[in-house]
Amino acid sequence: MRKLLFIALTFITTANVIGQSKTALSFKAEIANRNTDAISFLDSNNGKEIKKISVNKDGFFKDSFPVEEGFYMLFDGKEYTQLFLKNGYDLSLKMDAKKFDESIVYSGKGALENNILAQNAIKDAAYDYDSLLASSEEIFTKSINDKKIADLLVLDNKKLDANFVTLQKKNIDKSLVSMAKYYDEAMKTKKMDGAMSPTFEYDNYKGGKTKLEDFRGKYVYIDVWATWCAPCRAEIPFLKKLEEKYHQKNIVFVSLSIDQLKDVEKWRKLIKDKELGGVQVFADNDWNSQFVKDYNITGIPRFILIDPNGKIVKADAQRPSSPTIEAEFDALLQ
């Protein structure tokens, strides 16, 4: 789910280690099948890069630098992983970039805390959030409470850094609050199913205006996206595959960009460079566009499925990458 290459920070000499251990972090790594020739440490709060380190051809690096105690992300240009860092830590990381989360193992001072974070990433990736969000309120409440108990149990270890435990408990609480809020929003969105869809009238990439009513008589699969959204762009190959398979069926694929107006040329260039198909439209006021507000869209990518009469089949439809979306389309379009 979240993945990242390693960062290695280590003191060059014994004198450095002794002299800097309390004022800097030491980090080294051995990375098999490296993704890029550099890795970056990012501030977890704002994504700002605080350190970039070159990785040699053998996937090894080591370095040292001062940090403010707290959570960070390690990024290799492709994958991310979470870290807990503080001055005085002497961390070693071994990883296979092709397996990423599953292969991460830390040793040295600070390993206990960071191995917990690495294991959390694996458990998080395996957790069935889709089923959880589709469950009844009673089951949802019980499930997140059970999850909280399990997450807190991992922290019941006196060998763990006390500040790490305190911060991680806060993260667990924040995560559950966010999940509950997302669940409430999902339930509101689900209630839209079966109702007439809100409409739009936006600029078309090929010229002129396009409105939702133009597609009456056909199913409409809408992709709400933006050029800056990495998860959105990751869905493009799957979307193109769907368009190719169903291009002679009674369904139209609409990609609705919520990029800011200043990025309209960036949007045009990406469509051309990626040879995007379907109907490409540009929303009139990015996140504040009325269609976006009507559908309560607070995160992208978001997919919407509308029937030939303009009624909402699913206000929060499956992604193109979903393994069951073709079966759903086949059932509708037979």
Side-chain angles (χ1 to χ4, degrees):
M1 194 169 175
R2 293 180 295 268
K3 300 183 174 179
L4 231 163
L5 218 41
F6 335 134
I7 300 180
L9 317 161
T10 267
F11 301 103
I12 304 300
T13 66
T14 303
N16 282 339
V17 174
I18 294 174
Q20 299 178 10
S21 62
K22 294 183 179 180
T23 59
L25 163 74
S26 174
F27 202 117
K28 63 182 177 182
E30 296 177 45
I31 307 169
N33 301 306
R34 64 179 187 154
N35 285 318
T36 62
D37 58 4
I39 54 91
S40 298
F41 285 108
L42 309 177
D43 187 313
S44 284
N45 293 318
N46 56 28
K48 182 179 179 180
E49 182 180 81
I50 65 163
K51 184 72 174 180
K52 188 171 185 177
I53 302 172
S54 296
V55 182
N56 70 21
K57 60 183 179 62
D58 297 319
F60 178 79
F61 64 90
K62 63 179 181 179
D63 203 343
S64 64
F65 57 86
V67 295
E68 291 186 13
E69 180 177 329
F71 291 103
Y72 294 84
M73 298 300 293
L74 184 64
F75 179 56
D76 72 341
K78 183 178 181 180
E79 307 280 8
Y80 296 84
T81 192
Q82 188 179 36
L83 298 167
F84 177 74
L85 304 177
K86 63 185 295 184
N87 294 329
Y89 271 9
D90 185 9
L91 280 166
S92 295
L93 169 65
K94 285 191 175 182
M95 181 182 79
D96 184 338
K98 285 187 176 180
K99 298 178 181 178
F100 216 86
D101 286 337
E102 295 84 350
S103 67
I104 292 176
V105 177
Y106 296 97
S107 59
K109 188 174 182 181
L112 182 59
E113 292 78 9
N114 284 288
N115 280 327
I116 285 177
L117 294 178
Q119 289 301 307
N120 282 349
I122 296 173
K123 290 187 290 185
D124 189 59
Y127 198 81
D128 191 353
Y129 286 101
D130 289 339
S131 294
L132 178 64
L133 293 172
S135 64
S136 66
E137 185 174 355
E138 181 181 359
I139 292 176
F140 174 82
T141 301
K142 182 180 184 305
S143 296
I144 62 172
N145 285 336
D146 289 346
K147 187 177 189 303
K148 180 177 181 178
I149 291 171
D151 289 343
L152 291 176
L153 186 61
V154 175
L155 301 178
D156 188 17
N157 184 337
K158 293 182 179 180
K159 293 182 180 181
L160 287 170
D161 182 276
N163 288 340
F164 168 79
V165 172
T166 298
L167 291 172
Q168 189 66 354
K169 284 182 177 179
K170 289 181 179 178
N171 283 343
I172 290 171
D173 286 337
K174 287 180 181 178
S175 175
L176 294 181
V177 169
S178 295
M179 201 180 302
K181 182 179 179 181
Y182 189 84
Y183 178 80
D184 288 341
E185 291 178 351
M187 292 301 100
K188 290 178 183 177
T189 300
K190 190 173 183 179
K191 290 179 180 178
M192 296 179 69
D193 294 354
M196 288 298 295
S197 173
T199 189
F200 64 77
E201 185 173 5
Y202 295 142
D203 289 337
N204 190 305
Y205 171 74
K206 294 182 178 179
K209 295 278 188 179
T210 294
K211 57 182 181 291
L212 184 59
E213 286 76 12
D214 292 339
F215 309 115
R216 282 291 189 268
K218 293 179 177 290
Y219 282 95
V220 185
Y221 183 66
I222 301 175
D223 170 15
V224 182
W225 72 299
T227 59
W228 48 261
C229 170
C232 301
R233 294 174 66 156
E235 292 292 329
I236 288 176
F238 300 98
L239 181 59
K240 292 175 76 171
K241 181 182 176 183
L242 285 178
E243 291 172 346
E244 181 180 349
K245 178 174 181 179
Y246 295 100
H247 75 282
Q248 292 184 330
K249 298 291 185 177
N250 192 41
I251 186 169
V252 61
F253 295 86
V254 177
S255 293
L256 192 158
S257 168
I258 59 170
D259 280 287
Q260 293 184 11
L261 183 59
K262 66 181 180 63
D263 293 322
V264 65
E265 291 307 319
K266 181 179 178 182
W267 168 72
R268 291 183 179 281
K269 184 176 186 302
L270 190 145
I271 292 172
K272 181 179 179 181
D273 292 347
K274 296 292 185 180
E275 299 180 333
L276 303 187
V279 179
Q280 301 287 337
V281 297
F282 196 90
D284 58 359
N285 196 18
D286 52 82
W287 288 100
N288 293 308
S289 300
Q290 192 58 49
F291 185 80
V292 175
K293 291 181 177 180
D294 288 341
Y295 268 97
N296 192 34
I297 297 174
T298 57
I300 55 175
R302 172 73 171 274
F303 297 88
I304 300 165
L305 184 60
I306 299 170
D307 76 8
N309 298 312
K311 288 187 176 180
I312 302 169
V313 178
K314 288 187 177 179
D316 190 1
Q318 295 186 74
R319 296 188 177 196
S321 59
S322 169
T324 60
I325 190 168
E326 290 189 10
E328 181 177 6
F329 279 8
D330 289 342
L332 289 173
L333 301 170
Q334 60 183 355

